[in-house]
Amino acid sequence: MVDDTWSGALHRLWQAASRAEEVAALADDVYAPLLATPGVHLVVGTRWDEQHVLRYMRGLSAGSDTPVIVATTRSMPGAAVREPGGEPVVTRSAVEGLDASVWPEAEFLRQAPGVSVVACTFRLDQRGWAALALAVDGTADLSIVENRLTQAVDVIVACHTGILQRGREARRASDDALLAEASLQMDSSLDVEDTLRRVARIAVPAVADGALVHLLRGEGPEFVAATHVAVQQQRALEEAGRHDPWLAALLARRGEDEDTVFLSGAALEGSPFAEAGGAAGGAAGGADGANGTAADARPAGDGPHPTVVSISTLRARGRVVGSITFVYQRPEARLPDSAFLRSLATRAALAIDNALLYELRRTAVLSLQEHLLPSQLPESLQWDLSASYAVGDPMLDVGGDFYDAVPRPDGSIALLIGDVCGRGAEAAALTGLARHTLRTLLEEGTDPGTALSRLNRALRQERATRFLTAVVATLTPRPDGTALLSTCSAGHPPPLVLRSDGTVSEVLSGGLLLGVLDDVSYESHEELIAPDDTLVLFTDGLTESREASGAFFESVLPARLSALRGSGAAHIAESLAQQAETFRDSGQDDIALLVARWTGVPPGAGLLPHDPRIEQAALR
């Protein structure tokens, strides 16, 4: 015969178990139907941790709607005899024979009119176990009582397992989200110091209460970043990261150890994280082993938790780049597992290594770029020369922009600027070829048109696969203090002349790109410039800088240049480059500028003799 009352109650219990967020929420659904079993007068539930400490006791009598709940931390070593193994254990005992040192429920069970106790002990997880005890009288069918008790325990265990599983899934989803966000944050910067600071900030407080990051240099671990949820402790953490010998020795000993190590209790003695030095570690306690946890040292209640420290090696592309140290002052259940820390460390290491590689590449590229440009410009009383170069490509391939200023045998000076199509090693090779070819020819006194034609012939003979643009402008002093400006262009953006009164004009220019056709000739355009007039040569990275609205810097360049009238060449060059970079929302081309302000000579004084500094510059 089917017991419909119990079957219905059991069904409702399973439904409640599927929704419960904690096992204690099932108490009413468990206790009430058990008390409705004939002969049962009292139900008492207890919860124990792995150290046989009673954490919780709840009792409910038949006919009562108010349970008695006791939250405690009573240590009862004698209860070890009741601890179950893998499967639930059902026992029957006389009420009078209960030992209070083993059965804390005895004080409740003896108050009931029952004569015996049917109890079931069962394991919830590795950190604890529980028991349900029923006080029954002589009218109870003990087989029915035991059957219902074991069925109720099955629901409780399944409920707890489900809660743990959902918790693990939620934790895994949270960890995955944190790792994804960490990757985005760390990968968003290619600056080494900024990346290291991001590594420390991302983990606090989501992963730990404090974090320290060390970079592995040739002389050993070097502190680079620290963060903590408390400002005062962050200062102490930074101090420990920089100067603490205990931490330095520990990081040095770990070397290339890939496993994350957890330290607490006695393993932290003498460290800045121990209780005596609690400024960095907070309240510490316990006496765990070097690889232990803080479970047995955790104070009862909501007081401070013992300090736990984890150290993970940062390894990327087969080499160690540093280490990350986390400081925890939270319950053991909220400590991250080793797998998560390894994953976080791997992502952090890759971000740091990418930043380090970028830094090395940036240094190499800038060094190469410097060798493709003149180390210094010639000086003279007749002109004020300056140049500016801004790298626009965030990936730092070598650009093809170049410029130079060449003193000539007749006392004039040749200014040249050019741009090789594309970036990278091939562009750099053509840049060097173009600049040095033009410089050599112009130094020898070759006129600009012929120099450009001979460079074009050289490019065609070399079967260059890239074209380039260039413009050569010569400034020849005249007796009246003016200068003859002769400009010859090969498909390059026309230079601008800023007059002393602020007007801006474009120098006429034309000509075919270099390296496209054979036997190309180039013509020059001539005009005069007066003292304090300024000639500005630039590459298209300046004019093609584009703001978000779609406008190009070319549209505002004349007005921006006019506003700089009266300024020296250095200020004009730096200001225009900076303005274009600020203006630019899109575009990654390099920006090169060469600016020459003509100072002039007194009228009727004739040409000045060759300046010794010009001769010295020509020999370089």
Side-chain angles (χ1 to χ4, degrees):
M1 180 177 177
V2 178
D3 186 344
D4 293 333
T5 302
W6 173 253
S7 297
L10 191 60
H11 177 69
R12 290 190 296 273
L13 180 57
W14 276 110
Q15 287 182 321
S18 66
R19 300 187 300 267
E21 296 182 359
E22 58 180 11
V23 173
L26 291 180
D28 292 339
D29 296 286
V30 171
Y31 285 34
L34 287 176
L35 285 172
T37 303
V40 177
H41 297 275
L42 177 69
V43 180
V44 183
T46 52
R47 182 74 175 268
W48 305 79
D49 68 15
E50 70 274 27
Q51 303 298 323
H52 307 114
V53 175
L54 178 64
R55 294 289 179 177
Y56 171 87
M57 185 161 56
R58 186 182 197 273
L60 182 65
S61 301
S64 174
D65 295 328
T66 305
V68 177
I69 301 175
V70 178
T72 180
T73 55
R74 191 192 312 174
S75 178
M76 301 185 67
V81 297
R82 297 177 59 194
E83 183 176 356
E87 297 295 328
V89 177
V90 178
T91 59
R92 298 179 186 177
S93 307
V95 173
E96 293 79 5
L98 297 179
D99 183 350
S101 65
V102 177
W103 292 78
E105 310 99 311
E107 58 182 297
F108 291 112
L109 295 169
R110 288 175 182 147
Q111 297 173 12
V115 295
S116 61
V117 175
V118 178
C120 181
T121 56
F122 52 95
R123 181 160 292 283
L124 292 172
D125 51 49
Q126 295 300 316
R127 294 194 300 270
W129 53 283
L132 270 181
L134 310 181
V136 300
D137 62 23
T139 66
D141 185 332
L142 294 183
S143 62
I144 293 177
V145 171
E146 289 182 1
N147 184 56
R148 293 187 178 185
L149 182 58
T150 54
Q151 288 179 335
V153 166
D154 287 342
V155 177
I156 294 172
V157 172
C159 176
H160 185 72
T161 302
I163 291 171
L164 291 180
Q165 179 63 29
R166 291 192 295 273
R168 283 191 292 268
E169 292 174 354
R171 179 74 174 268
R172 189 178 301 112
S174 176
D175 288 349
D176 289 344
L178 177 61
L179 290 172
E181 177 64 20
S183 294
L184 289 174
Q185 290 291 327
M186 292 184 292
D187 292 343
S188 65
S189 174
L190 287 174
D191 179 82
V192 176
E193 297 298 324
D194 184 52
T195 299
L196 291 165
R197 286 191 293 269
R198 286 170 183 257
V199 171
R201 287 198 300 266
I202 287 168
V204 177
V207 176
D209 299 279
L212 282 160
V213 181
H214 285 78
L215 195 62
L216 186 61
R217 301 291 192 185
E219 60 277 8
E222 176 186 321
F223 168 78
V224 289
T227 188
H228 199 284
V229 291
V231 175
Q232 290 183 342
Q233 293 193 27
Q234 177 167 330
R235 296 193 188 101
L237 204 58
E238 292 173 351
E239 183 68 17
R242 288 190 180 93
H243 305 299
D244 185 75
W246 182 93
L247 183 59
L250 177 63
L251 295 179
R253 286 198 307 271
R254 281 189 53 75
E256 299 189 1
D257 190 353
E258 296 185 11
D259 293 332
T260 295
V261 62
F262 285 86
L263 307 173
S264 60
L268 295 178
E269 290 182 3
S271 78
F273 313 109
E275 185 174 8
D288 303 340
N291 295 300
T293 66
D296 57 344
R298 187 188 321 149
D302 298 325
H305 297 275
T307 298
V308 179
V309 174
S310 70
I311 302 174
S312 300
T313 299
L314 300 177
R315 174 185 289 274
R317 300 180 178 92
R319 66 188 186 95
V320 175
V321 298
S323 64
I324 184 166
T325 302
F326 290 131
V327 180
Y328 313 92
Q329 291 152 308
R330 54 186 62 186
E332 183 191 359
R334 292 180 54 202
L335 296 180
D337 57 34
S338 297
F340 171 81
L341 291 178
R342 280 196 301 272
S343 183
L344 180 60
T346 298
R347 294 166 189 247
L350 285 172
I352 293 170
D353 196 50
N354 286 339
L356 289 170
L357 292 175
Y358 178 84
E359 186 179 70
L360 290 174
R361 181 175 181 177
R362 181 175 184 273
T363 301
V365 167
L366 293 179
S367 176
L368 177 57
Q369 198 83 63
E370 288 177 358
H371 285 82
L372 294 175
L373 300 173
S375 58
Q376 61 183 31
L377 297 175
E379 297 178 358
S380 172
L381 297 176
Q382 296 174 294
W383 58 72
D384 173 20
L385 284 181
S386 189
S388 177
Y389 196 104
V391 177
D393 181 19
M395 296 311 295
L396 282 180
D397 275 331
V398 181
D401 293 14
F402 63 93
Y403 61 83
D404 208 343
V406 185
R408 290 160 55 82
D410 63 356
S412 65
I413 185 171
L415 308 176
L416 61 99
I417 195 167
D419 186 3
V420 176
C421 173
R423 311 183 69 86
E426 186 179 358
L430 285 182
T431 297
L433 172 65
R435 178 189 158 225
H436 290 290
T437 298
L438 289 176
R439 180 180 180 88
T440 300
L441 293 171
L442 293 170
E443 279 181 333
E444 294 174 349
T446 306
D447 67 89
T450 302
L452 288 174
S453 295
R454 290 178 63 176
L455 173 59
N456 181 73
R457 191 180 311 126
L459 293 173
R460 298 293 294 167
Q461 291 173 349
E462 291 292 331
R463 300 182 182 275
T465 59
R466 299 171 185 259
F467 62 85
L468 64 93
T469 67
V471 63
V472 179
T474 60
L475 293 173
T476 304
R478 290 165 48 90
D480 61 359
T482 62
L484 179 64
L485 170 62
S486 178
T487 308
C488 192
S489 177
H492 197 81
L496 297 178
V497 175
L498 170 63
R499 302 294 178 178
S500 58
D501 62 359
T503 58
V504 176
S505 61
E506 188 177 271
V507 177
L508 295 178
S509 61
L512 190 67
L513 304 173
L514 295 164
V516 177
L517 298 177
D518 298 327
D519 301 326
V520 179
S521 60
Y522 296 92
E523 297 181 355
S524 298
H525 167 79
E526 295 182 347
E527 63 180 277
L528 295 178
I529 62 172
D532 292 329
D533 288 349
T534 301
L535 177 66
V536 180
L537 296 85
F538 49 86
T539 57
D540 58 9
L542 180 76
T543 54
E544 294 180 3
S545 293
R546 190 172 186 174
E547 67 175 356
S549 66
F552 290 96
F553 191 71
E554 181 179 22
S555 62
V556 299
L557 177 57
R560 299 285 183 93
L561 179 57
S562 178
L564 294 171
R565 60 183 177 275
S567 300
H571 179 71
I572 292 175
E574 293 300 327
S575 178
L576 288 179
Q578 184 177 8
Q579 289 184 50
E581 288 188 281
T582 304
F583 182 90
R584 175 163 54 191
D585 181 72
S586 63
Q588 297 180 345
D589 204 0
D590 291 359
I591 297 174
L593 288 119
L594 181 60
V595 179
R597 185 175 68 88
W598 182 253
T599 60
V601 293
L607 289 176
L608 293 176
H610 289 312
D611 191 314
R613 288 172 292 186
I614 298 179
E615 296 179 345
Q616 293 174 6
L619 296 175
R620 282 197 280 269

